[in-house]
Amino acid sequence: MVGLLGRTRAQSPRRPSTAQHERGPHDGKHRHNPSNGLRSALGGRSVAGQVFVLQVVIVLLLVVAAVVALVLQVRHDSTQEARNRSLAVAETFANAPGTRAALDAPHPTALLQPSAEAARKASDVDFIVVLNTDAIRYTHPKPDRIGKKFIGTTAPVLAGHSVTEQITGTLGPLVQATVPVKAPDGTVVGMVSAGITTATVGGTADHQLPLVLGAAAVALALATASTALVSRRLLRQTHGLGPYEMTRMYEHHDAVLHSVREGVIIIGAEGQLLLANDEANRLLRLPADAEGQHVQELGLDSGTAELLASGRVATDEVHLVGDQLLAVNQRPTDLPGGPAGSVATLRDSTELRALSGRADIARERLKILYDAGVRIGTSLDVTRTAEELTAVAAPRFADFVTVDLADAVLNGQEPDAGAGLRRTASGGIREDAPLYPVGEHIGFVPSTPQAHSLRTGEAVVEPDLGGAPGWLAQDPQRTAQVVDYGIHSLITVPLRVGPLVMGVVNFWRSEKPDPFDADDLALAEELVARAAVSIDNARRYTREHTMAVTLQRSLLPRTLPDQSALDLAYRYLPAQAGVGGDWFDVLPLPGARVAVVVGDVVGHGLLAAATMGRLRTAVHNFSALDLPPDELLGLLDELVGRIDQDELPDDTGSAVTGATCVYAVYDPTTRRCTVARAGHPPPAVIRPDGSVEFPDVPAGPPLGLGGLPFETAELELEEGSRLVLYTDGLVEDRERDIDVGLELLRTALAGADRSPEDTCQAVLSALLPARPSDDIALIVARTHALGPDRIASWEVPSEPAAVGEVRASVSRQLARWGLDELAFTTELILSELVTNAIRYGNGPIGVRMLLDRALICEVFDGSSTSPHLRYAATTDEGGRGLFLVAQLTDRWGTRYTPEGKVIWAEQPLP
């Protein structure tokens, strides 16, 4: 484009045949592979290559010429230096004192040879020769040459002149100077010749030649490098094209520029018009002499002229030029290193404007539908889903959007026909619209569009609310306020999934003066259809979640049993995303003991809740056997394994159920707590001083794995200690590791003199997530001890006579407790139990009475046989003892210990 600047709009002649068919095989490489630039330049095929070769040849010739000139100059300078030095040495020696006198001496050679040699060595010449007037040598560097004829010109010297010449003498080619030796009267009495051989002169020149050649090589390298850089830049600018290709490209660009149906103008840095193609002249109606003038002087409208003169970046900026809408795109030309200025393209968009407007509307509606698919139904909450629908539709489609749903839908049920609706969600451009507020129950009269939609399942458009008597009859006072507010058009669409109509969605328009049309109705129906599926899914989930929560609540303990060993507080929080299988229980055991259990079934939903109920029932039944915690967990493990087998899919062989559990039994008479756990988080113990510890209770495998035994840990708890049991939902979630959760739990539990209720509240405040992803069960038990004054025990000898002593001791103890009313029945119960122990059991035998919420009598013996209740025949002499015990007590039973068994009975206090 730079090559076109300043050209007229006359098109260049074109050659179609060459333009279409003549193209070098490597054109594309020069344009698309910058790494080949220098190699292409050296190849000489492109303009850059030819320029490079030409410049290198010129530089090479100049360097060679310079080297030759320098060598010749050096040699000339060296020869001239030799002539001057020879002449100076010869004149100096000829005029030296004693030279003339030595010539007159009988033996001149004896006098002159030593001084001539000394002078030669000192003056750095090759020879100094003294001659007589007959040109016979008196001195010479080679003594055998003395007395021989001198080679050189002597006639001018004898005439009194000096001679400098280049000859081949006895030492070879040389430069010599010969000067006369004159008497005082001017008569020439001899001659002195001094010279330097050509070898010496050439040696001096040869010493300077490497420097000259080195400098020439450096100059050649620098010139070649600079030429290569210039050629590389030229290669980039010409894109590796040859002369013919550049000519062809110029012609084609010129032809295309003036034939395209898009205006192109180039503006210089000062705002002057440099080039405009034919289409630009037509669109802008430029004068014939427009090129070279400032754009502000071309008669354009101010907006267009300001844009073109500013040179700023513009993308599809629309300007009205005459009766045409021109889309202007402008970019500066100096961004890629080009000349200062800008280039603009002009496109007539008058006919496309109407089409683009409709396309924009269609694109926006598709975007609304896409956003509806992405943003509606992100949660399984009916109200939240309705709010998401209003957020998508207002204000992009309607100014106000309201959603009215039946109360049954909000509760997860199917709505009844004819039931009223409740405004569930509302959104719009303002909050002061006089529409029904959220939460209000609405009964639509039969003439309203909403009632028609509910009745028929079809959408209704009311283009003019002010002239719609059916809608105005709903609430004359409120509808008048709505019309006065400016809301003038309505679309009502039923929220329908199949035959089920759950409510209606209302789209209201106020800002845009045009009423809703058929296209708007189609979009509204599509939008509501997509939202209806999400609302129905949320409704179904709400129903199932409510059923699961109801089932879960029914399976959990509603109240805790009365007992004296522990002060209890608990919390149970179901997960928001689904119902889990966490549970807890408190079970009174014989001997004033209490069992506390917390468990967690893997998974969520109805299956987890049902499994939790089965396990809780099993724990109740197993605890009635008064088993140690490890044996009870072993039975639970077998039960979960059987549940796994019952719930297996066909031939899959993989477990579908699993559970964890911790079971603790506290005995207030000894203040000892026996704990066992199956894959459950460890319990925490808060000592009376407020310190917290996690006792080392063997973890054991989760329930259902089978094959591994469980172990117990014995904890001694001071009175006032707090035992804390919990599920993993409290200390572990997706964003928090269990170790971090345990440390947070330790911090929250620390502190003395806090009730179990306060402890529960502190733990939940510190650890409860914003949206729990798992159920949370927490129980805090503060321990009490049964004092020694409420415990009485005796050792009983294994003989029948000891029964009477036992009865007497029991009577005295009951009198001290103020329970004389129970003396007769208690004596009878203990008499029967002790007698059975003496008769059927093994020693040692012991009796213990506990005064708690009931009077508890226990008889210990060393046998493992258990008595059985039976009905004695009328002719039997015995067999009625346990029957009497069962009739006189509330509960009785047997529990086994490592040393034997204990038969116990409880009587209510008067």
Side-chain angles (χ1 to χ4, degrees):
M1 193 64 69
V2 176
L4 298 177
L5 298 181
R7 286 180 53 87
T8 65
R9 294 192 303 276
Q11 300 184 10
S12 303
R14 297 189 294 177
R15 294 178 293 182
S17 60
T18 58
Q20 298 177 5
H21 302 291
E22 295 183 13
R23 181 175 179 83
H26 301 289
D27 292 348
K29 294 182 180 179
H30 289 295
R31 297 178 184 177
H32 301 289
N33 192 355
S35 64
N36 294 330
L38 187 56
R39 184 167 62 251
S40 299
L42 293 174
R45 292 186 298 272
S46 64
V47 172
Q50 294 178 8
V51 171
F52 174 78
V53 172
L54 180 60
Q55 288 182 341
V56 169
V57 170
I58 292 174
V59 169
L60 181 60
L61 292 176
L62 291 176
V63 169
V64 170
V67 170
V68 171
L70 287 174
V71 170
L72 294 177
Q73 183 66 36
V74 168
R75 291 190 177 275
H76 175 269
D77 292 344
S78 298
T79 301
Q80 187 63 36
E81 175 65 21
R83 295 169 68 92
N84 294 337
R85 187 187 303 173
S86 299
L87 181 60
V89 171
E91 289 180 346
T92 301
F93 193 84
N95 296 319
T99 301
R100 183 174 57 84
L103 290 172
D104 295 333
H107 301 286
T109 298
L111 297 175
L112 295 173
Q113 178 69 13
S115 60
E117 286 300 303
R120 178 183 67 82
K121 295 178 180 178
S123 59
D124 198 19
V125 295
D126 289 326
F127 66 88
I128 297 176
V129 177
V130 181
L131 313 171
N132 60 14
T133 54
D134 294 328
I136 302 300
R137 301 184 185 99
Y138 289 150
T139 63
H140 197 278
K142 295 181 178 181
D144 58 342
R145 301 289 193 272
I146 298 174
K148 293 183 179 181
K149 186 71 174 181
F150 174 71
I151 300 173
T153 302
T154 59
V157 179
L158 293 175
H161 303 287
S162 298
V163 175
T164 303
E165 57 186 340
Q166 290 182 258
I167 64 170
T168 300
T170 57
L171 297 180
L174 51 84
V175 177
Q176 66 181 8
T178 305
V179 299
V181 180
K182 297 179 180 181
D185 58 359
T187 303
V188 175
V189 295
M191 296 175 288
V192 176
S193 179
I196 300 174
T197 62
T198 302
T200 303
V201 174
T204 303
D206 291 342
H207 286 308
Q208 296 181 4
L209 185 59
L211 179 61
V212 172
L213 293 177
V218 171
L220 179 61
L222 292 177
T224 303
S226 61
T227 301
L229 292 177
V230 172
S231 299
R232 189 183 185 94
R233 181 181 180 92
L234 181 60
L235 181 69
R236 288 198 302 268
Q237 293 178 344
T238 60
H239 300 284
L241 299 177
Y244 171 71
E245 292 173 318
M246 289 196 64
T247 302
R248 184 182 62 184
M249 180 188 71
Y250 178 82
E251 293 174 350
H252 287 183
H253 282 194
D254 191 43
V256 170
L257 178 66
H258 293 287
S259 63
V260 294
R261 302 305 298 169
E262 187 169 286
V264 178
I265 59 175
I266 298 178
I267 299 96
E270 303 299 328
Q272 70 276 13
L273 178 63
L274 300 179
L275 181 142
N277 69 348
D278 296 341
E279 184 68 8
N281 280 277
R282 185 186 69 82
L283 294 175
L284 297 177
R285 299 174 178 85
L286 298 176
D289 58 347
E291 292 185 358
Q293 297 186 33
H294 198 279
V295 293
Q296 297 285 4
E297 302 172 355
L298 299 178
L300 303 176
D301 66 281
S302 58
T304 306
E306 185 275 331
L307 170 63
L308 297 178
S310 66
R312 62 180 173 85
V313 175
T315 302
D316 288 337
E317 190 170 310
V318 178
H319 288 262
L320 180 62
V321 179
D323 58 351
Q324 296 174 313
L325 288 174
L326 300 184
V328 182
N329 290 275
Q330 183 167 266
R331 295 292 185 273
T333 57
D334 57 352
L335 290 181
S342 61
V343 59
T345 60
L346 312 171
R347 186 177 66 256
D348 188 357
S349 62
T350 306
E351 297 179 357
L352 298 177
R353 182 56 51 182
L355 292 176
S356 64
R358 289 193 292 271
D360 290 341
I361 294 175
R363 184 166 54 251
E364 177 62 22
R365 291 183 174 182
L366 289 176
K367 183 66 167 57
I368 292 175
L369 292 178
Y370 172 78
D371 290 344
V374 173
R375 296 170 53 187
I376 298 177
T378 59
S379 67
L380 293 173
D381 181 83
V382 175
T383 301
R384 176 60 182 164
T385 305
E387 292 172 348
E388 291 170 346
L389 171 59
T390 63
V392 169
R396 297 165 62 184
F397 173 63
D399 297 320
F400 299 95
V401 180
T402 57
V403 180
D404 305 325
L405 297 176
D407 287 333
V409 174
L410 297 174
N411 296 327
Q413 306 300 319
E414 294 186 0
D416 298 329
L421 304 181
R422 187 175 300 279
R423 179 135 298 173
T424 306
S426 178
I429 57 177
R430 291 185 297 274
E431 298 181 357
D432 58 347
L435 301 171
Y436 287 115
V438 173
E440 184 164 342
H441 189 272
I442 307 172
F444 292 105
V445 299
S447 63
T448 59
Q450 290 85 352
H452 179 79
S453 294
L454 291 173
R455 188 169 57 253
T456 64
E458 298 177 352
V460 177
V461 179
E462 284 291 354
D464 183 13
L465 291 179
W471 176 77
L472 292 172
Q474 169 66 29
D475 184 349
Q477 182 178 359
R478 183 178 294 275
T479 54
Q481 293 175 353
V482 171
V483 174
D484 294 340
Y485 186 79
I487 298 177
H488 59 82
S489 187
L490 165 68
I491 294 179
T492 296
V493 184
L495 268 166
R496 185 180 62 185
V497 177
L500 180 65
V501 179
M502 300 175 289
V504 293
V505 181
N506 306 297
F507 301 92
W508 313 83
R509 177 172 286 180
S510 64
E511 294 293 318
K512 188 177 180 180
D514 299 333
F516 287 117
D517 55 19
D519 292 338
D520 296 324
L521 176 61
L523 175 61
E525 289 179 325
E526 179 67 22
L527 189 62
V528 173
R530 297 191 179 194
V533 175
S534 298
I535 291 178
D536 187 56
N537 289 338
R539 178 190 67 83
R540 293 172 182 269
Y541 172 79
T542 301
R543 180 185 61 188
E544 295 178 1
H545 183 73
T546 302
M547 293 173 56
V549 169
T550 302
L551 173 62
Q552 184 186 43
R553 292 292 187 185
S554 66
L555 296 175
L556 290 171
R558 299 182 181 179
T559 58
L560 297 181
D562 294 334
Q563 42 80 37
S564 303
L566 300 172
D567 289 338
L568 297 167
Y570 67 91
R571 294 288 188 277
Y572 183 84
L573 300 174
Q576 293 189 5
V579 176
D582 292 14
W583 93 94
F584 66 92
D585 225 330
V586 177
L587 307 171
L589 299 177
R593 296 170 302 133
V594 178
V596 182
V597 58
V598 172
D600 182 3
V601 175
V602 174
H604 294 82
L606 292 175
L607 178 60
T611 304
M612 176 267 290
R614 296 168 70 177
L615 292 182
R616 180 169 177 258
T617 301
V619 171
H620 272 265
N621 294 333
F622 293 152
S623 66
L625 300 176
D626 209 352
L627 298 175
D630 54 341
E631 295 184 19
L632 186 142
L633 291 183
L635 295 176
L636 282 180
D637 182 54
E638 294 180 6
L639 174 63
V640 173
R642 289 196 299 271
I643 293 176
D644 284 345
Q645 295 176 0
D646 295 341
E647 299 294 339
L648 282 179
D650 295 338
D651 301 328
T652 60
S654 59
V656 297
T657 306
T660 64
C661 182
V662 58
Y663 187 85
V665 177
Y666 175 68
D667 189 347
T669 62
T670 61
R671 294 183 290 103
R672 299 188 68 82
C673 181
T674 305
V675 185
R677 63 188 178 112
H680 203 82
V685 174
I686 310 172
R687 300 298 180 182
D689 60 359
S691 61
V692 180
E693 64 181 25
F694 293 96
D696 185 13
V697 179
L703 300 176
L705 295 183
L708 295 175
F710 297 94
E711 301 180 56
T712 60
E714 293 284 342
L715 310 178
E716 185 171 353
L717 304 179
E718 300 92 334
E719 187 171 9
S721 298
R722 283 166 286 170
L723 179 67
V724 182
L725 305 181
Y726 53 91
T727 56
D728 59 355
L730 180 67
V731 295
E732 184 179 17
D733 60 21
R734 296 172 183 171
E735 299 178 356
R736 183 175 60 201
D737 188 72
I738 188 172
D739 293 333
V740 177
L742 290 176
E743 287 303 315
L744 292 176
L745 178 62
R746 182 194 300 273
T747 303
L749 292 175
D753 299 330
R754 282 200 301 195
S755 66
E757 188 70 28
D758 293 339
T759 304
C760 285
Q761 189 59 43
V763 169
L764 293 184
S765 299
L767 280 83
L768 183 64
R771 292 182 61 85
S773 59
D774 194 6
D775 293 4
I776 295 176
L778 170 67
I779 188 165
V780 179
R782 183 167 57 190
T783 62
H784 293 286
L786 195 63
D789 58 333
R790 303 173 72 86
I791 303 174
S793 59
W794 303 273
E795 295 290 335
V796 179
S798 296
E799 53 187 30
V803 176
E805 182 60 31
V806 169
R807 295 176 64 176
S809 300
V810 167
S811 297
R812 290 192 294 271
Q813 184 62 46
L814 291 177
R816 285 193 291 270
W817 286 342
L819 298 176
D820 295 315
E821 300 178 23
L822 300 179
F824 176 76
T825 56
T826 304
E827 289 179 9
L828 181 60
I829 292 169
L830 286 177
S831 295
E832 178 60 29
L833 295 180
V834 171
T835 299
N836 284 342
I838 294 174
R839 180 177 300 175
Y840 305 109
N842 299 324
I845 300 173
V847 174
R848 186 175 71 168
M849 286 198 309
L850 305 176
L851 180 58
D852 192 31
R853 290 179 176 269
L855 180 63
I856 304 170
C857 299
E858 298 177 336
V859 176
F860 303 84
D861 69 76
S863 70
S864 59
T865 58
S866 176
H868 298 282
L869 179 66
R870 65 186 182 87
Y871 292 94
T874 55
T875 58
D876 290 340
E877 295 183 359
R880 299 179 178 84
L882 287 180
F883 178 78
L884 292 176
V885 171
Q887 296 299 314
L888 295 175
T889 61
D890 280 350
R891 297 190 306 161
W892 75 279
T894 304
R895 74 172 185 271
Y896 294 93
T897 65
E899 295 80 16
K901 68 175 182 296
V902 179
I903 303 177
W904 56 270
E906 290 186 4
Q907 302 176 73
L909 297 178

